[in-house]
Amino acid sequence: MSSDRKQQGRGREYRSVTRVTGPLIAVSGVEGAAYGEVVEVTVPSGERRTGRVLESREDTAIVQVFGGTEAVDTVRTSVRFTGETMKIGVTEALLGRILDGTGEPIDGGPLLIPDAMRDISGNPINPSARDFPRDSIETGISAIDGMNTLVRGQKLPIFSGSGLPHARLAAQIARQARVRGEAESFSVVFAAMGITYEEADFFIRNFRETGALEQAVVFVNRADDPVIERLITPQVALTVAEYLAFDLGYHVLVILTDMTNYCEALREVAAAREEVPGRRGYPGYMYTDLAGIYERAGRIKGREGSITQIPILTIPNDDITHPVPDLTGYITEGQIVFSRDLHRKGIYPPIDLLPSLSRLMQGGIGEGRTREDHAAVKDQLYAAYARGRRLRNLVAVVGEESLGDIDRLYLVFADRFEREFLRQAENERRSFEETLDAAWRLLSMLPESELVRIEPSLIERYYPRRTEG
Amino acid sequence: MTITGTVARISGAVVSARGLAGARMYDVVRVGNERLVGEIVVLDRDVATIQVYEDTEGIAPGEPVTTTGMPLAVELGPGLLGTIYDGIQRPLEVIRDEIGDFILRGVHAPGLRRDRGWDFTPIARRGDRVEPGDLLGTVVETEVHEHRVMVPPGIRGRIEEIASEGRYTVEEVVATVRDDARLHRVRMLQYWPVRQPRPVRMRLEPTDPLISGQRVVDTFFPLVKGGTAALPGPFGAGKTVVQHQLAKYVNADIIVYVGCGERGNEMADVLRQFPALVDPTTGKSLMDRTVLIGNTSNMPVAAREASVYTGITIAEYYRDMGYDVALMADSTSRWAEAMREISGRLEEMPGEQGYPAYLASRLADFYERAGRMTVLGSAGRTGSVTVIGSVSPPGGDFSEPVTQNTLRVVKVLWALDADLAHERHFPAINWLTSYSSYAGTVRGWWAERAAPMWEEYRAEMMGVLQAESELLETVQLVGEDVLPEEDRLVLVQARLIRDGFLIQSAFHPVDTYCTAEKQYLMLELLVRFYRQAREAVAAGVSAAAVGGLAVKTRLERMPFVPNETFPDEYASIKEEIAEAFAGLTAGRSAYGVTMRG
């Protein structure tokens, strides 16, 4: 991250910090500070930090300081207004590099020479320029490919909880994801916000071992890095992703983890500004703010590349109505929801299919894309599994004896579905056909008359008992 | 007259400017060196507080602010249909041609193209006395609709000149009207301030249903032309799919679809699908009857607030021509949140959950713009605006202010339910919590169309669903075993209604649209099956035996039978029901035992 260095001569410098609260400082006597302008704060020790104007009045600017306000005083600290909004230098040479949360390299690699400077907040894609995403991605994971297909250009978050294996699943997707009929894999832009050293290391090691690192740009803002820096990490990462995708034609998979930490940083700044808090203290504009991140996924007509986003959220207290997952779910195109129960049962990936959803699945599946029976099989699996799960709850109260034969079949179905379809190894890669064939094997447990979501012609073709004779 | 002041303060979308004494509330202003579009929302002596419809990054105190002396208005005239606009009516396709794939700020493009000619056919003649709403002429706007060029509100008098048949741009004068003192030049291009409802002559009671081809809507919770409906639901419950289905298939003349603070890909989906889809009523491209307003969640928040007003003003304009217009607003919660965000920046006293105290009145004012009306003009045309608003309650909790204040004004509630969505029961409209106050209104319409028993059948099937929900509570506690056979039959029948009627696949080529005729025939078969089944159970047949009948599977697959061939299927199923029950009652003892398990 840097402001445009060429413009430094235009800077105006002030030593008039009047107030410091949390990550914010107020600078008085400032003339014409632009909203969003980048400032350079020099604390008495000589250390320099970057900041951004959050509110500008005729004589005062409220500045949010990245790197925190530690050691800022109201006498000797100087603040220089650069006349620039926040930008990052972008270049193809970023691939293979590891940077901090503001975009400074931390891997000791060679100096980066930018091809262009890009404003980190980006600009909204014109809705009429968007190409509707339809190329389904084969992640090799049945719970996703079969039931909640991901398509190129989609934003599909993982709703997880502390202690659940979201990092492993995200790494598996990054490693295995392919578009059918294309040899080329995805480039990965990985942005970590406030995650532990261990977790960051897991991803970096994983990318390194599988050779994915050469095709990845890694941004790491760790748990002990300044909270406030987290606020720009996703924007910086997505600016790089947009350059790779829409200027250079890469298919980019962006993994953002952990969005809950990002939202907490947002809340912290809002509190320091004494804003009217919304639900659970998060600011009222959090929806708009998150949309500014998630909506940067997509495809553009006439351009080669794409941005697919997998944001990861650890849901506080496993409460899906918490504002972070709630607002996210309203913006993203579906969600993959993790279940602690399945995890306890030893099922990986522990995806709770009932609340999980891919909104763009419908356009990406079917004849010529995956297979003609995909939509109907998915509907039938959902209906059958939901019924099995409902019966499981019932049996817990009234016992299995009270169930009829058919209902008992559904109970067994739900168990087998979790063990044989949902569960798979971390290095197991199933094709769409393998996933769908596995689905039919399970469905064949049920009599044909139960398969009311599937048209007879498809049953004729795929129902195993028939084909075996 | 324009007044120029200077920027004093910038906080997000809200900018204060001083030196604007004489500026009027709600006037549009141009802010900063890039002349961004804004609207005055507070006046305090010479300081105006402005909500800005574009990104304010980079604006600094001291930059100029200029008033335009005009309120926020839309351009009305031929060329609206088939176009996608942002929240303040900038045509997105034109902007894309001019500046590329990303929206930059400071772009200006008029709502209607100035360079395009329209073939105008005059109706009024020289010397005619005309009043507001009278037709001057017509233009073929799309294949489907003639665009009626009207005398604008506020102008009456004698026509001095009227353009002859020929091609004109929207800016050319097509008529001059002289009242006592003044000569008015009337163009096809007219303006109307978005926050002000367009005048009508008289409000009328709605009479006709708005048929959508969606069974749970048309049969169980009908909406009428000129009515209002709310569609609340948690994320993933399918609000947008329902709205898209309605936009595709309702039998209105014109659709205004407002994507307010929602996803960009959803607008792309509409733009991809609609031109290729065919309106079931006219057989023409759906895009020919549609105006799209797309102010997605990452576009400026103030323009999101304006987008619903832009939409409804365009809807009223077509209503004034005498058309039935349906407006879908997805989602009104984003509009309310935009209000909250601006209100917070204005440091207003917050009401419930931080929403401004005027939330309820703004919502009510908006929904009040719906209705069936006798519109202006001596011809006494009628037109209607139907409003369907999605609501996105945080955490899916309907007790929040936007849902509650909306329910106070709308007449239909389609309550979407997370549990149904999780089971992939779509549309996930919960039949127990939803309601429609128009069922009585549309009874006559169905009765006239070979559906004499509609009301009775509907009530009977609703009764089964109601009974099921009560029985399920018992089953949860003690199991199904203890239920008497007639109650177990209720469970079988309710399951059948869900699978064979309520569930409707938006993505299945046949099931996506179900004609009113087919709906009634399906309903009739379900009732027929149930009545026969009750008789059989009363005669000693088990509910499980009824549930095991092959004809039940046929009933469950009715949704996939094409509308055109359904009458044959109906006759055949009807016969099979009769045979099946005859067989059942004849051999009941043996059959009943084997099926009980």
Side-chain angles (χ1 to χ4, degrees):
Chain A
M1 162 67 41
S2 64
S3 59
D4 195 336
R5 306 270 181 222
K6 286 177 304 216
Q7 298 292 331
Q8 279 192 359
R10 268 181 53 191
R12 297 141 291 152
E13 198 151 345
Y14 299 90
R15 282 180 190 267
S16 47
V17 174
T18 50
R19 190 157 180 251
V20 186
T21 45
L24 307 182
I25 59 174
V27 191
S28 67
V30 180
E31 262 173 57
Y35 180 70
E37 184 173 349
V38 173
V39 302
E40 199 175 78
V41 179
T42 311
V43 299
S45 67
E47 188 198 334
R48 284 183 184 181
R49 294 178 198 155
T50 308
R52 176 154 66 163
V53 176
L54 273 192
E55 182 173 327
S56 174
R57 300 176 189 239
E58 276 167 319
D59 58 342
T60 314
I62 309 289
V63 174
Q64 146 186 341
V65 185
F66 303 110
T69 47
E70 202 178 66
V72 173
D73 71 350
T74 55
V75 182
R76 286 175 299 161
T77 297
S78 82
V79 182
R80 200 172 59 78
F81 290 77
T82 62
E84 282 299 312
T85 50
M86 251 179 178
K87 292 189 167 64
I88 180 161
V90 288
T91 158
E92 196 166 6
L94 279 164
L95 288 169
R97 300 299 300 269
I98 301 171
L99 311 117
D100 75 4
T102 65
E104 295 294 338
I106 51 170
D107 56 358
L111 190 70
L112 287 161
I113 298 151
D115 291 333
M117 299 301 293
R118 290 285 161 85
D119 204 307
I120 65 159
S121 24
N123 286 302
I125 301 175
N126 187 323
S128 71
R130 279 187 186 266
D131 201 359
F132 187 69
R134 296 199 70 181
D135 300 334
S136 46
I137 296 172
E138 197 175 76
T139 64
I141 298 158
S142 292
I144 297 176
D145 295 356
M147 309 296 280
N148 294 289
T149 317
L150 175 67
V151 301
R152 201 153 62 181
Q154 183 172 14
K155 40 194 180 292
L156 188 68
I158 298 176
F159 285 7
S160 185
S162 44
L164 296 179
H166 44 265
R168 281 157 60 196
L169 183 69
Q172 188 179 2
I173 295 172
R175 203 167 54 233
Q176 297 187 164
R178 296 276 185 289
V179 164
R180 303 244 290 176
E182 290 181 22
E184 177 193 6
S185 65
F186 285 83
S187 302
V188 174
V189 169
F190 176 80
M193 291 149 282
I195 68 172
T196 59
Y197 175 82
E198 214 173 315
E199 200 170 347
D201 191 54
F202 167 83
F203 277 104
I204 293 171
R205 214 159 14 89
N206 200 294
F207 291 153
R208 197 168 268 145
E209 280 163 11
T210 57
L213 189 61
E214 281 162 45
Q215 285 299 305
V217 191
V218 177
F219 295 87
V220 183
N221 164 278
R222 281 205 302 263
D224 55 352
D225 286 336
V227 169
I228 194 84
E229 281 183 14
R230 271 161 223 168
L231 287 179
I232 52 173
T233 305
Q235 301 289 16
V236 168
L238 284 160
T239 305
V240 171
E242 277 174 0
Y243 178 74
L244 293 173
F246 301 131
D247 287 57
L248 305 181
Y250 283 92
H251 291 293
V252 185
L253 182 70
V254 179
I255 298 172
L256 305 166
T257 183
D258 175 331
M259 289 305 291
T260 308
N261 295 336
Y262 171 85
C263 293
E264 253 138 47
L266 205 62
R267 177 164 65 177
E268 194 172 322
V269 172
R273 294 187 65 189
E274 294 168 11
E275 291 172 8
V276 179
R279 259 178 94 215
R280 303 217 191 164
Y282 292 96
Y285 50 77
M286 192 156 87
Y287 178 83
T288 306
D289 193 277
L290 287 174
I293 295 171
Y294 298 141
E295 278 289 324
R296 290 175 85 171
R299 310 200 56 168
I300 294 177
K301 287 176 194 159
R303 298 203 194 205
E304 193 51 43
S306 63
I307 295 181
T308 309
Q309 271 190 31
I310 302 188
I312 298 172
L313 292 66
T314 49
I315 302 180
N317 201 21
D318 295 347
D319 173 11
I320 201 169
T321 67
H322 184 279
V324 177
D326 191 50
L327 295 180
T328 298
Y330 275 122
I331 303 164
T332 53
E333 282 134 1
Q335 63 278 336
I336 301 289
V337 182
F338 272 19
S339 146
R340 213 167 276 284
D341 285 345
L342 287 171
H343 183 59
R344 271 194 219 108
K345 280 192 198 169
I347 288 173
Y348 172 89
I351 296 176
D352 186 354
L353 283 170
L354 299 189
S356 297
L357 170 74
S358 164
R359 291 168 189 271
L360 301 186
M361 173 174 194
Q362 212 63 42
I365 61 171
E367 202 167 355
R369 296 188 177 271
T370 56
R371 208 165 78 181
E372 54 172 347
D373 56 329
H374 196 157
V377 165
K378 183 254 305 179
D379 286 344
Q380 190 67 61
L381 284 177
Y382 259 111
Y385 180 56
R387 182 153 168 196
R389 287 264 300 259
R390 210 175 32 239
L391 288 165
R392 217 185 255 170
N393 294 336
L394 184 63
V395 164
V397 183
V398 299
E400 210 175 314
E401 315 74 60
S402 67
L403 297 188
D405 287 346
I406 289 282
D407 282 348
R408 278 183 211 180
L409 269 183
Y410 276 103
L411 263 186
V412 179
F413 176 89
D415 287 339
R416 282 188 56 190
F417 178 80
E418 286 171 2
R419 285 200 315 269
E420 297 168 28
F421 185 86
L422 199 56
R423 171 150 66 186
Q424 65 185 89
E426 215 174 314
N427 56 6
E428 186 183 354
R429 187 169 197 293
R430 297 184 193 153
S431 67
F432 278 119
E433 283 77 11
E434 284 165 340
T435 289
L436 290 171
D437 290 346
W440 277 104
R441 276 197 300 280
L442 285 172
L443 289 176
S444 69
M445 283 177 58
L446 303 171
E448 267 182 65
S449 57
E450 286 295 305
L451 307 185
V452 293
R453 308 270 180 111
I454 307 179
E455 283 177 76
S457 64
L458 292 174
I459 296 181
E460 193 77 33
R461 200 161 310 150
Y462 293 102
Y463 192 74
R465 231 175 284 157
R466 288 275 177 124
T467 43
E468 282 156 20
Chain B
M1 189 191 72
T2 65
I3 305 161
T4 300
T6 55
V7 172
R9 177 186 166 193
I10 310 106
S11 170
V14 171
V15 166
S16 306
R18 65 173 76 255
L20 287 178
R24 290 178 312 183
M25 186 72 169
Y26 294 127
D27 271 3
V28 169
V29 294
R30 297 307 179 109
V31 178
N33 299 326
E34 292 179 84
R35 297 178 54 72
L36 309 183
V37 180
E39 185 183 9
I40 296 178
V41 289
V42 175
L43 279 172
D44 183 3
R45 280 177 246 185
D46 74 327
V47 177
T49 306
I50 298 153
Q51 61 176 358
V52 181
Y53 292 120
E54 298 178 72
D55 182 10
T56 52
E57 197 166 284
I59 302 281
E63 291 189 26
V65 174
T66 314
T67 64
T68 60
M70 297 271 288
L72 186 67
V74 286
E75 296 192 352
L76 300 169
L80 293 165
L81 293 178
T83 308
I84 177 166
Y85 293 108
D86 77 353
I88 50 172
Q89 213 206 3
R90 288 181 298 197
L92 289 171
E93 270 150 347
V94 173
I95 287 182
R96 181 174 174 230
D97 290 344
E98 282 179 10
I99 59 162
D101 296 333
F102 292 87
I103 300 177
L104 310 177
R105 62 206 182 140
V107 198
H108 302 294
L112 296 178
R113 295 182 63 141
R114 302 298 195 259
D115 54 355
R116 173 158 181 194
W118 297 93
D119 292 324
F120 174 83
T121 309
I123 290 177
R125 279 178 315 227
R126 208 175 146 174
D128 284 356
R129 284 206 77 83
V130 290
E131 59 177 86
D134 280 351
L135 299 189
L136 294 170
T138 60
V139 162
V140 179
E141 184 176 2
T142 64
E143 268 192 74
V144 188
H145 292 295
E146 67 170 25
H147 188 103
R148 296 168 186 157
V149 181
M150 298 169 288
V151 177
I155 294 178
R156 61 178 69 238
R158 195 175 293 281
I159 292 187
E160 278 206 349
E161 272 176 273
I162 178 100
S164 52
E165 190 155 346
R167 181 163 288 200
Y168 303 89
T169 68
V170 292
E171 286 184 306
E172 286 178 84
V173 174
V174 289
T176 51
V177 179
R178 178 170 297 280
D179 64 15
D180 299 337
R182 286 181 56 198
L183 188 66
H184 300 276
R185 292 185 174 77
V186 180
R187 301 168 172 85
M188 286 190 259
L189 171 63
Q190 300 176 7
Y191 295 88
W192 191 263
V194 296
R195 297 189 196 277
Q196 194 180 328
R198 285 173 64 86
V200 294
R201 192 184 269 189
M202 196 169 60
R203 291 187 79 101
L204 303 168
E205 281 293 307
T207 50
D208 288 352
L210 190 75
I211 294 293
S212 66
Q214 311 303 305
R215 290 186 289 269
V216 61
V217 168
D218 297 345
T219 298
F220 286 111
F221 307 106
L223 180 58
V224 292
K225 290 177 176 174
T228 50
L231 183 66
F235 64 81
K239 289 183 295 296
T240 302
V241 176
V242 172
Q243 289 277 36
H244 281 193
Q245 288 297 96
L246 296 173
K248 284 175 194 167
Y249 298 124
V250 292
N251 59 345
D253 300 309
I254 305 282
I255 304 295
V256 179
Y257 191 94
V258 185
C260 173
E262 292 285 302
R263 304 173 182 87
N265 278 335
E266 286 168 0
M267 297 316 288
D269 194 22
V270 174
L271 285 173
R272 176 182 68 95
Q273 284 192 44
F274 276 36
L277 284 173
V278 165
D279 176 355
T281 324
T282 62
K284 305 288 189 204
S285 163
L286 273 182
M287 209 59 200
D288 281 354
R289 66 167 195 178
T290 308
V291 183
L292 293 172
I293 317 279
N295 210 90
T296 56
S297 56
N298 56 339
M299 286 159 75
V301 67
R304 194 189 301 166
E305 197 267 334
S307 64
V308 293
Y309 293 104
T310 298
I312 196 135
T313 308
I314 292 173
E316 286 175 340
Y317 176 64
Y318 282 98
R319 172 205 65 196
D320 289 349
M321 293 179 203
Y323 289 121
D324 291 317
V325 186
L327 176 135
M328 288 87 196
D330 185 21
S331 155
T332 60
S333 291
R334 305 301 164 222
W335 162 43
E337 283 161 13
M339 252 189 263
R340 175 170 69 183
E341 189 170 331
I342 307 277
S343 167
R345 304 253 188 204
L346 296 174
E347 292 165 9
E348 290 174 339
M349 181 71 79
E352 205 181 343
Q353 288 189 19
Y355 286 103
Y358 45 78
L359 172 73
S361 60
R362 292 276 169 92
L363 285 169
D365 289 349
F366 171 69
Y367 282 103
E368 272 300 284
R369 291 174 75 168
R372 184 167 159 263
M373 322 279 193
T374 304
V375 298
L376 295 184
S378 47
R381 294 184 303 273
T382 59
S384 68
V385 173
T386 310
V387 175
I388 301 149
S390 308
V391 185
S392 316
D397 173 8
F398 288 5
S399 68
E400 58 92 39
V402 182
T403 313
Q404 286 305 313
N405 285 311
T406 303
L407 292 183
R408 237 175 268 162
V409 288
V410 300
K411 293 288 199 308
V412 176
L413 166 65
W414 297 317
L416 296 178
D417 184 298
D419 288 338
L420 290 175
H422 291 171
E423 292 178 21
R424 297 321 193 247
H425 174 120
F426 287 118
I429 295 175
N430 184 312
W431 48 90
L432 299 173
T433 48
S434 301
Y435 58 78
S436 165
S437 313
Y438 299 121
T441 314
V442 303
R443 177 176 51 197
W445 183 92
W446 285 92
E448 283 166 27
R449 279 164 187 75
M453 307 296 283
W454 179 77
E455 200 180 17
E456 188 186 326
Y457 289 169
R458 176 181 176 270
E460 192 169 338
M461 291 301 99
M462 193 56 99
V464 170
L465 292 167
Q466 191 74 48
E468 182 206 26
S469 81
E470 285 158 22
L471 290 172
L472 283 179
E473 284 176 23
T474 315
V475 170
Q476 278 297 339
L477 292 176
V478 292
E480 211 177 302
D481 275 0
V482 299
L483 295 183
E485 286 299 318
E486 56 266 38
D487 284 350
R488 301 181 85 162
L489 178 64
V490 167
L491 298 181
V492 170
Q493 177 71 14
R495 190 83 248 154
L496 177 59
I497 300 171
R498 292 171 183 230
D499 288 338
F501 194 86
L502 294 174
I503 292 181
Q504 187 170 2
S505 169
F507 304 108
H508 190 278
V510 168
D511 200 23
T512 186
Y513 178 77
C514 185
T515 58
E517 292 72 26
K518 181 179 167 189
Q519 291 184 36
Y520 181 70
L521 292 179
M522 287 173 76
L523 189 66
E524 201 271 347
L525 286 175
L526 290 175
V527 171
R528 176 179 295 272
F529 181 83
Y530 185 54
R531 290 181 179 173
Q532 299 253 350
R534 280 178 50 145
E535 275 177 34
V537 168
V541 174
S542 74
V546 171
L549 287 173
V551 71
K552 187 172 147 267
T553 308
R554 265 186 99 182
L555 289 167
E556 283 163 340
R557 294 208 172 112
M558 288 191 294
F560 303 128
V561 180
N563 292 312
E564 301 74 38
T565 56
F566 195 75
D568 298 337
E569 178 74 4
Y570 164 80
S572 155
I573 292 181
K574 193 164 131 182
E575 218 166 280
E576 197 180 327
I577 290 175
E579 285 165 16
F581 281 102
L584 207 53
T585 19
R588 78 181 140 84
S589 47
Y591 200 57
V593 169
T594 52
M595 285 305 292
R596 292 271 318 244

